[in-house]
Amino acid sequence: MLMAVMAPMPREKWTDERLDDLRDEMRRGFSDTKAVIAETKAEIADVKAEMRELRREMLAGFVVIVAAIVGSNAALIASNAF
């Protein structure tokens, strides 16, 4: 059985300049993420508002349908009563 022994990889050197670059890149990434989150929250608020409006319209339609059914049944009962 043949086994290979790997030498440890050399460590990269993290200079202050490289650490500053990393910090700046991370801040940019988090800034972008915060902007996306804010945009998503605004879109969710819009969707919620649209859903509330849709519920109101559906409720109004339901009331109209129930009124039509009650009215037609009342007319049918009245026409058969005589």
Side-chain angles (χ1 to χ4, degrees), residues 12-76:
E12 291 186 34
K13 298 210 180 209
W14 285 92
T15 63
D16 287 344
E17 185 177 289
R18 287 188 68 205
L19 287 171
D20 290 343
D21 291 344
L22 176 62
R23 180 198 61 213
D24 294 342
E25 186 63 31
M26 289 179 67
R27 284 184 178 163
R28 251 190 314 278
F30 283 121
S31 173
D32 293 345
T33 302
K34 288 177 183 177
V36 169
I37 289 171
E39 190 176 305
T40 303
K41 285 181 180 181
E43 290 176 9
I44 289 171
D46 291 344
V47 169
K48 285 181 177 181
E50 290 177 15
M51 288 177 63
R52 279 191 296 273
E53 180 62 27
L54 179 60
R55 281 191 205 115
R56 280 193 288 273
E57 291 174 3
M58 289 176 65
L59 180 60
F62 178 73
V63 169
V64 169
I65 290 171
V66 169
I69 291 171
V70 169
S72 66
N73 286 340
L76 183 64

